[in-house]
Amino acid sequence: MSDDLSKVTKVVRASDAVAAGSTDSNGDIIDTHGARHGLFTYHFGAITSTAVTGLKITHSDSSDMSGATDIAGAVVAVADTDDGKLVQLEVKHFTKRYVRAVVTRATANAVVNSGICQLHGLMRTSPAAHSSVKAAATVVTG
């Protein structure tokens, strides 16, 4: 088994930038075929004080996310002091094929700079080309 992280994970875009707002923002639908787990990393921009913000993951058997439900426990609160910070949420053992991150926003503005998902864990086949990565390299030192 390779110990090169880039060879055993697939990085996909979970969200483009989302302008300041106080309504929920659905991320991209991600097909988890071939992966058992996913690490979602979101980069937040400016978050207005008093904003109530969070990150949760939903899942569905349908590629259009019809009938999607929240994954129990897959939620993290984002403090209004987390401007410019990265927030991570990992899901172990997907039980449905399609997932999507949802940034919950209420009461005041919060900006999403970007979001990615690293799919990993017992890939049944080698991961497909990274759909959101322009260039990748592996460097061995020492």
Side-chain angles (χ1 to χ4, degrees):
M1 175 148 193
S2 172
D3 59 355
D4 293 340
L5 187 59
S6 65
K7 291 189 169 88
V8 296
T9 62
K10 178 180 179 184
V11 179
V12 295
R13 182 183 64 234
S15 178
D16 285 329
V18 179
S22 58
T23 58
D24 291 356
S25 175
N26 289 330
D28 297 347
I29 297 169
I30 298 170
D31 184 350
T32 67
H33 180 71
R36 293 190 62 201
H37 319 293
L39 175 62
F40 292 82
T41 304
Y42 267 66
H43 180 214
F44 284 87
I47 302 174
T48 304
S49 64
T50 74
V52 178
T53 309
L55 178 65
K56 68 179 183 176
I57 310 301
T58 61
H59 62 171
S60 175
D61 290 319
S62 300
S63 61
D64 64 358
M65 293 299 287
S66 59
T69 57
D70 294 349
I71 297 176
V75 61
V76 63
V78 180
D80 61 9
T81 56
D82 286 343
D83 304 76
K85 292 187 179 168
L86 298 173
V87 174
Q88 291 187 315
L89 179 55
E90 187 164 14
V91 177
K92 296 281 195 170
H93 307 291
F94 292 123
T95 58
K96 297 189 179 193
R97 181 169 175 174
Y98 300 95
V99 296
R100 172 169 50 201
V102 178
V103 175
T104 57
R105 306 184 296 177
T107 70
N109 287 338
V111 173
V112 175
N113 289 337
S114 65
I116 63 167
C117 179
Q118 294 168 272
L119 297 170
H120 62 95
L122 298 178
M123 304 296 271
R124 291 183 285 279
T125 58
S126 294
H130 297 283
S131 62
S132 302
V133 177
K134 176 149 176 59
T138 300
V139 177
V140 179
T141 62

